[in-house]
Amino acid sequence: MGIFTFFKQRKTERAQATELTFPLFCKVHAVKSSDHQGGIAQSRVGDKLLIVHTPTDERPFRAAVYSVELNRVLGFIEEELSEKLFRAFGGNFCRDGEVEQITGGPPYKYYGCNIRVMDTQDYVEEMEAFSAVSEED
């Protein structure tokens, strides 16, 4: 067994141990800030996303939902799911995602966003920098 095959198999085993089935479907949280609302309002179904582990002292498993097209954070995934991703892929994980549905908006006060998370990390190669991720608090 080659080294790449070994690590791919190990990654699959860790994902199965956390009971994750890909693609995952979830909603983006913490979307009420004006910056996140602006990003969601500009997003379209099918836009490429990165789900990036962005821990803080208070939230060690936090993961940001980063728009590849807009170079900005749209919000965060729920803590329980980000912890499962952390357990499956380790710290500093990055997974591909796509905008599944934009919800809300006029006449409602806020936009929302449902996303699909995949078991790949191909979109990161298209990025030059994660400037918006490092600016988030």
Side-chain angles (χ1 to χ4, degrees), residues 56-102:
T56 64
D57 290 339
E58 299 83 30
R59 294 186 171 101
F61 304 112
R62 183 177 83 159
V65 177
Y66 181 84
S67 171
V68 173
E69 278 85 354
L70 302 175
N71 187 30
R72 65 195 298 180
V73 173
L74 303 181
F76 302 90
I77 62 173
E78 70 177 332
E79 194 80 12
E80 184 178 319
L81 176 56
S82 59
E83 183 175 356
K84 286 181 179 183
L85 290 169
F86 176 86
R87 302 264 183 246
F89 301 108
N92 299 318
F93 66 82
C94 181
R95 297 288 109 187
D96 294 337
E98 291 181 357
V99 173
E100 184 73 16
Q101 179 183 30
I102 304 296

Side-chain angles (χ1 to χ4, degrees), residues 25-31 65 76-78 81 103 112-115:
F25 296 91
C26 64
K27 67 190 298 188
V28 179
H29 293 267
V31 298
V65 177
F76 302 90
I77 62 173
E78 70 177 332
L81 176 56
T103 61
C113 186
N114 296 328
I115 64 171

